[in-house]
Amino acid sequence: MQPIDLVFRFGGESGEGVISCGEIFAQAAARAGREIYTVRTFPAEIRGGHAVYQVRVGDDLLLSQGDRVDVLVAFNGEGYEKGLPDLRPGGILVCDGDQVTPDPSFDGTAYPIPFTTLARDQVGSLRAKNMVVLGAVAELFDLPREVLFSLVAQRFARKGEEAQEANRRALEAGAAYVRDHVTKQDPYRIGTGPHTGRVVLSGNEAVALGALAAGLTFFAGYPITPASDIMENLVRWLPQVGGRLVQAEDEIAALAMVLGASFGGARAMTATSGPGLSLMVELLGLASAAELPAVVVDVQRAGPSTGMPTKEEQGDLNLAVWGAHGEGPRIVLGATSVADAFQTTVQAFDLAERYQCPVIVLSDQFLGFRKASVAPPPVDEIRPSYRILARRNGAYRRFQLTESGISPAAVPGMVGLQHVITGLEHDEFGRPAYDPARRTQMMAKRARKMALAAQEPGMTRRWGHPEPVLGVLGWGSQEGVIREAVARANREGYRVAALHTRMLWPLPHGEIRAFLRQVKAVLVPEVNFSGQFANLLRTQFTIEPHRLTKSDGLPFRPVDIYEKIKEVYPDGR
Amino acid sequence: MQPIDLVFRFGGESGEGVISCGEIFAQAAARAGREIYTVRTFPAEIRGGHAVYQVRVGDDLLLSQGDRVDVLVAFNGEGYEKGLPDLRPGGILVCDGDQVTPDPSFDGTAYPIPFTTLARDQVGSLRAKNMVVLGAVAELFDLPREVLFSLVAQRFARKGEEAQEANRRALEAGAAYVRDHVTKQDPYRIGTGPHTGRVVLSGNEAVALGALAAGLTFFAGYPITPASDIMENLVRWLPQVGGRLVQAEDEIAALAMVLGASFGGARAMTATSGPGLSLMVELLGLASAAELPAVVVDVQRAGPSTGMPTKEEQGDLNLAVWGAHGEGPRIVLGATSVADAFQTTVQAFDLAERYQCPVIVLSDQFLGFRKASVAPPPVDEIRPSYRILARRNGAYRRFQLTESGISPAAVPGMVGLQHVITGLEHDEFGRPAYDPARRTQMMAKRARKMALAAQEPGMTRRWGHPEPVLGVLGWGSQEGVIREAVARANREGYRVAALHTRMLWPLPHGEIRAFLRQVKAVLVPEVNFSGQFANLLRTQFTIEPHRLTKSDGLPFRPVDIYEKIKEVYPDGR
Amino acid sequence: MAASLVPKIYRSANKPTWCPGCGDYGVLEATTRALATLQVEPHRVAVVSGIGCSSRFPIFLNAYGFHSVHGRVLPIATGLKVANPELTVLAVGGDGDGLAIGAGHFPHAARRNPDITYIMMDNSIYGLTKGQISPTSRLQQRSSTTPWGNVDRPLNPVAMAVAAGASFVARGVSWAVAELADLIRQGIEHRGFAFIHAVSPCPTFNNTLAQIKPRVAPLPQGYDPTDPVRAFELALHTEALHTGVLYREPETIPYEERLAALEPPTVQDRQTFLQSLIDAYR
Amino acid sequence: MAASLVPKIYRSANKPTWCPGCGDYGVLEATTRALATLQVEPHRVAVVSGIGCSSRFPIFLNAYGFHSVHGRVLPIATGLKVANPELTVLAVGGDGDGLAIGAGHFPHAARRNPDITYIMMDNSIYGLTKGQISPTSRLQQRSSTTPWGNVDRPLNPVAMAVAAGASFVARGVSWAVAELADLIRQGIEHRGFAFIHAVSPCPTFNNTLAQIKPRVAPLPQGYDPTDPVRAFELALHTEALHTGVLYREPETIPYEERLAALEPPTVQDRQTFLQSLIDAYR
Ligand SMILES: Cc1ncc(C[n+]2csc(CCOP(=O)(O)OP(=O)(O)O)c2C)c(N)n1
Ligand SMILES: Cc1ncc(C[n+]2csc(CCOP(=O)(O)OP(=O)(O)O)c2C)c(N)n1
Ligand code: SF4
Ligand code: SF4
Ligand SMILES: [Mg+2]
Ligand SMILES: [Mg+2]
């Protein structure tokens, strides 16, 4: 058993099964005891367009998809052409020999294999091509055969014996061709690794599991890429623990249902993407004013407008933080990795209930769809709080002015605590009241909740040099990439540290301030056009950060950030 | 003729005609050649609650409602009690003698007049009470009788002879009582002044007139306080010049109709308040991405959520600037005064067409409802641009990459320029396209438009000391108050200057930067909780402004700002 | 509990702020009577509303109330009922709230069929915003937004409810309080979505009482309320405004029960289930 | 122009990206045929759509196109038609686009009656987002969001259109292209809001062709399309899916013309009018 770190990319026409080929490959590698980290892109069109699935297989904790591709698996000419620029010099190409002839100048190792012919002639179906590819790649890179075959059998268990048989034949056709006609010319093999007992999850799966573990009892949502599968998982799970899920008529109805359920005492949540969050703005304000717990997950995608539904962007931070007419309490969290997506979702419910306000969780396309091998989430240790409840004791004041700003709640059905909640400004009893003094008190009461939330512990993570000259401030799904870039910079002698902020609003002032005090210069890398997090930081801290932004629909590579660190590094190492 | 500066406040039960009494009083004073400046508040409930109308009458350009009340006209006990704290020491009280007995400690001049009795006994209707009050106040403060009577006759022209007669009798009953039973004990009189030829407009009226003058041809809207009367005026006017107005089923439909009309070549607009703007967020993004001109007026009211619909707040700046998933071009303007509301609306159309993007105009409850006497708007000088149109010349590229970022448009009906616009990311032809390079170009193209807009001239106004130590940075409807406070501070020897920003996004960097360079300290006064403009400035400029904020539903008084100037003034005068 | 819950018990300490003569007083009175008839305890009642004069309703009731935002009363009430099926859930609001900004939710509440009673107070005007036309305003009507007369043809709430598949559709008028109370009672007792079209004039901005009163008519003799086509036909009548239960689906299972029936045979312990899920991801 | 405009002229250079066998191909073909029959020049046609597989439609047409956001096709088309009444305006989209997120706009477009032809491609599924139930999915249907079966009762688009007062309501199916083309032609010729319910199966996520085909039936002999009650009754039929013009209002004035008719006798010069307004504020 030998430590490895290899990046495989599968590329081809959407509809050819590129994605499922890559997914099975990744999961099989994880079952074989390797760490995996995948990235997935596909076109928004149902048919047509270029699909890519990238899998990094390794033994260290994998923090990013890596900088370059080691093995390019090209299903067709487009997969070859679009993939080539990212293939490392001397890299390995596995391609459909029926469709691709590598350029004479290609300097790596090429394994052309007639995938199309094999599928057509030996399996009798062009649709089996992706399984042929899988069989060949597994054979070529020594992915344990039993693991692969049993995984495929398990995944297609419901498809019937005939389909199972076709799959086996296809895998075997690929493998046999490699055994019989290909001479291995590279040293790479997956074999088996030490990391057994891992689970392979996508960010969206981690969110759904986190919600379930946090005690979710009600979900309403409206389908939207790339968030739909959170609902699609929960609808299978929730009824099995007595919860309820409604596919709403739109996002406004979805959040409205969530607020109704929350008023009724449920732990309630919805999940959407940018266009849906835009539609929820008015009701988010209602939740702030009426002091209702609610969790809203936004799996961001590239905007503006419909934008690029299947592409990456951290473009909704502005909206999540500032998207409200008037001002009311709201918490915004950023999920940073697959493992963290679970934890952050759990925390979102905890904070929503404790502070009685909406909590927005920002995930994104890249995090939502990529799979990683992670330690099994600690589902049995989770005990999120529930909103503090009132006792019957004189006339009930739902919006009682307290020192913390948090007022004991009452849920319909509780005897004698009838009251009205409203989005109108109100007095302690919930009655509409506009006089300046009371209004000022109510605004201050709600704001006190946020001041308290800003002190929640553990809302940043820090790593890198203990006495840094340059500080990298990041958020959300770019955590791993930043971490990898910082580690590399540290190895190269740069005194760099990173602080990753998990609570984006209110900002954890104490921890950020302490970090800023240590560093001479600040770099804020984020996947959006203007540097939204940099702007947000500037509203609270007097800094002039270097910005590293991009909005081309792709996440950062570690090297992007590493190069920028070198560029902006304040003085010699 | 003697220069005057008097603040009258009318206060009483909503439904008693307090507002219309104050309005007529103000307009009559304006016709008599005085400058006027009014403030109006009323409860959201149809019935019940306290209504206040305040009128400042003077000869200098009136910049604010003033700091204190000189004359309090109390329709009932609540009007007396709520008004008293603001009445200046030694001030004048006119009250309904049937309902109010001034406190023995009252140190001013009191004129109790039995308004209720007079209305009941001499006019035969309690509903006439407000006209009785008006007649009495006019007589007491020498508001020219002919002006008043002809104005009332004109306003109620459509009500029929009987109502007219009742009005006259009511005015006369009030006037006669004063003549016969009241001894004038104060020196104040309105008489006639020099400012003839003025028009009396509210901010909302100025917006509607501005839109009409700018060539508006299509309006769609959904009623909402305090914006409804923009639509209510336009629906009377627009058909008379061949335009069209639709009352939509909601705000989303309203903006959708506007975008449809704009695609069809119309100059199109909607008007709303915070909750409506929240609902428009998704479609604003579509306008950015599809590069459609559209004007959206937001007459802000106090939030969050339904909040206080009839109260003042500058609380939607965050939403107007940052309310979008992803990032696209959008311009935000702030109307600063009644006269400026006209100009800003005209400019909004000009910018929307020239930059082919949505333009949000922020007004607010205070500005929308207050009336001021202003020079007649120059309706005949206005020639706003129209979007640059394409010529037929090869395959038409609707989103052509140009240096300015602005691409020649085509309107349906033009021969041979058929094309598709979309909120998806697209290539120059408008076809969906997601590849990273093209995407980056399109984002940059759209951003170039904003870089250009940031250089629009005249987007700030400056006054005060030419070599200031303290700079006051303001926006929106608080212009007059700030100006008055700065003038006072200058008189007191403080080197203070103010820069008022009219374009809030993109910020006019050049002018702001130059101003910031001059001053040692910055004060940002605004009517919202957190200091939204201060935050916005901080995202672009490295400053640590002093903030003066309030969110009690009322605008600033000049003294509030003056006191803060003194407090934060960096060093001795 | 005996008959101890008199209508007055369902009124809160907050005096209604409606104008004198507003139809909504009658609807409020009818609602408290219906609740008293059913002897449902105030803490088991939850009333959701949107925004409008009529939507102030919950503030005047002694019950759990949610005065929300404009147009979202039905999805909020649906979420509430699904999450807390024990409650008696009322949804209330105006014609603008329900048929303009809320029009998209109406057919979906109807087709889902949660056990909610939805009382729409229809004054054919926007009251709270001071008198603009609403979706049920008549053609040619003048208002602050239709100074030249209304050109939008009115919507027919009853016909729309039937078309959307509402399982109980009734109409009452605010001035016939006893009948209205009885319709609301039937609506609450109905197991499913009950739509009560409560004609409730606004004397301040659209005083239609005199026009409507003569048109009010009972249902025809022998009327069969289980025939949707007949209900639709009656709803289209222009000369008569029929009051009573226009449509009632004989057998209907409320949404929350359908959802509950979906569950796999045994609802599992959450921890056990979570562990099994985790294992499936290995 | 003579008959020079053949159907192909209305196709853009962009090849449809729909799956093989998608019903939307038939609707596209029918639309180009209808346009060719009417010989309306491409630059006088504007097609608005929402978001969905079906909403990609304008991209494949040679006309002015507005591929907008999910659910807002009708108010966008209404604004376009009112602002630019000379255009032939088509609105197109899916069942989710029009009946879920867009449900609030449908009755209002119908009652206003702008001269728009609205083609709803109904596949009873969300195609673009890969197979969730839609408002017209049948009870018990399994999908990615209804693994236990659908509990939401389906909406009936034709019944809802009639109830909302649409002045022209027709149904066609994507595989009967000639009939569908003729219905679209009639819809375009109809002066007012024409709703075309185009059943258009999605072989990828909800292949209903085999289930639906046997149920398709013509209108009964002697059917009178001017009776809304009869149209409603037919729409409720479950055994038969009637195609043809189910409802047509004999005399109808389009919205944009009603709005134009509102104007005071003479439309004034803008400057003159503005001056008179200013004077009124003195
Ligand atoms: C999003 C939003 N848009 C507009 C408004 C303003 N608004 C409040 S109530 C109302 C309509 C009231 O009419 P209706 O629902 O018929 O109730 P009524 O007052 O007639 O009882 C409107 C337009 C709002 N509060 N929120
Ligand atoms: C505001 C918003 N919510 C959700 C989506 C995601 N979405 C895109 S198309 C679609 C539904 C498609 O179904 P339908 O309208 O029936 O069209 P089809 O694809 O079936 O032709 C959804 C939910 C979106 N684009 N915007
Ligand atoms: S305005 Fe009309 S609806 Fe509102 S309270 Fe008054 S009478 Fe009732
Ligand atoms: S997914 Fe369905 S609706 Fe979409 S293109 Fe494919 S067949 Fe057509
Ligand atoms: Mg109403
Ligand atoms: Mg569909």
Side-chain angles (χ1 to χ4, degrees), chain B residues 45 222 232 235-236 247 249, chain C residues 56 70 132-133 145 148:
Chain B
E45 290 78 22
Y222 188 70
E232 289 164 355
V235 75
R236 287 188 289 117
Q247 180 179 323
E249 56 270 29
Chain C
R56 295 271 162 142
H70 197 33
Q132 300 83 8
I133 46 149
T145 46
W148 318 98

Side-chain angles (χ1 to χ4, degrees), chain A residues 176-189:
Chain A
Y177 185 90
V178 169
R179 272 197 309 271
D180 300 346
H181 302 99
V182 177
T183 317
K184 176 96 168 166
Q185 298 163 48
D186 67 79
Y188 301 141
R189 43 188 306 273

Side-chain angles (χ1 to χ4, degrees), chain C residues 54 94-96 121-127 134:
Chain C
S54 40
D95 42 329
M121 285 163 261
D122 185 357
N123 53 13
S124 297
I125 199 82
Y126 289 0
S134 92

